[in-house]
């Protein structure tokens, strides 16, 4: 049980630091991953950035994910091939939605990071951090899309996740660090004493606290 996201981040920071990632960049999945990622970045003396992911919904069923758009230059669209096959749709059918999600990502970066450019990842260890994993859909898209930005290696670091979800994600990461894999996993928030919503203002303030020199 973690007191809050900062407590989880401090504990996770110890585990990640002991693993000694080479030339790391810490990438938080907002919003909840940001207060967890800040202590990790400080422990590694590494730059902190956001990794923005937006769901690509099925036409007429926006709650059903056909894929996701992962921030990059250009953003990387990652699709669920089985859903596309069953629906008879192609990636081209989502072009308009991809354009809209691209603008959403740009707007969120401006909101949370003002004019700060993404940290280059080429040849570095990209350490992806969230406050926990449930189904793994967002993290799966993030890890898959991140490869296009050329990191030397991709690590996943989270405080808590179900063991079966972690097993499914391991092929997408070069290293996975997770502090707790409870057998009776139900929801991420049940493993925190305090698990309130993280506001836009909090994300922006936490990112301003990143004191790395890069």
């Amino acid at each position: 049980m973690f007191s809050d996201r900062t407590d989880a981040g401090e504990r996770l920071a110890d585990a990640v630091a002991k693993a000694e990632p080479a030339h790391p960049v810490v990438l938080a999945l907002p919003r909840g991953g940001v207060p967890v990622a800040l202590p990790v970045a400080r422990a590694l003396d590494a730059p902190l950035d956001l990794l923005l992911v937006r769901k690509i919904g099925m036409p007429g069923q926006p709650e059903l994910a056909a894929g996701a758009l992962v921030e990059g230059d250009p953003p990387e669209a990652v699709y669920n091939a089985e859903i596309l096959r069953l629906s008879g749709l192609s990636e081209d059918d989502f072009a308009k939605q991809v354009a809209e999600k691209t603008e959403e990502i740009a707007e969120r970066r401006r909101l949370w990071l003002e004019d700060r450019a993404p940290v280059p990842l080429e040849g570095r260890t990209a350490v992806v951090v969230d406050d926990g994993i449930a189904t793994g859909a967002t993290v799966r898209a993030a890890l898959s899309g991140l490869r296009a930005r050329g990191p030397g290696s991709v690590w996943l670091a989270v405080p808590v996740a179900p063991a079966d979800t972690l097993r499914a994600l391991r092929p997408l990461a070069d290293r996975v660090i997770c502090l707790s894999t409870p057998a009776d996993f139900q929801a991420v928030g049940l493993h925190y004493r305090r698990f309130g919503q993280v506001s836009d203002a909090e994300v922006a303030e936490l990112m301003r606290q990143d004191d790395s020199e890069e």
Side-chain angles (χ1 to χ4, degrees), residues 29-31 51-58 62-72 75-80 94 97-109 111-112 137-142 145 200:
L29 289 170
R31 299 183 178 94
L51 181 56
L52 305 181
V53 181
R54 301 299 293 153
K55 181 173 71 175
I56 299 172
M58 287 291 291
E63 72 286 350
L64 176 60
L69 191 69
V70 183
E71 183 178 28
E76 184 79 6
V78 180
Y79 290 95
N80 184 319
F94 297 89
Q97 191 176 163
V98 166
E100 293 170 351
K101 300 297 183 182
T102 299
E103 182 54 33
E104 286 182 22
I105 285 175
E107 288 175 0
R108 285 172 181 259
R109 178 162 282 274
L111 174 65
W112 291 328
T138 298
V139 172
R140 174 179 293 278
D200 289 333

Side-chain angles (χ1 to χ4, degrees), residues 75-149:
E76 184 79 6
V78 180
Y79 290 95
N80 184 319
E82 181 66 9
I83 286 180
L84 293 191
R85 184 184 68 80
L86 292 173
S87 66
L89 298 174
S90 72
E91 295 181 9
D92 291 341
D93 294 311
F94 297 89
K96 182 175 182 294
Q97 191 176 163
V98 166
E100 293 170 351
K101 300 297 183 182
T102 299
E103 182 54 33
E104 286 182 22
I105 285 175
E107 288 175 0
R108 285 172 181 259
R109 178 162 282 274
R110 285 191 292 269
L111 174 65
W112 291 328
L113 290 163
E114 299 176 343
D115 296 325
R116 181 170 142 184
V119 177
L121 301 181
E122 290 83 356
R124 305 187 66 160
T125 302
V127 183
V128 178
V129 177
D130 205 354
D131 55 11
I133 301 173
T135 66
T138 298
V139 172
R140 174 179 293 278
L143 296 176
S144 299
L146 193 56
R147 294 289 184 183
R149 293 172 62 181

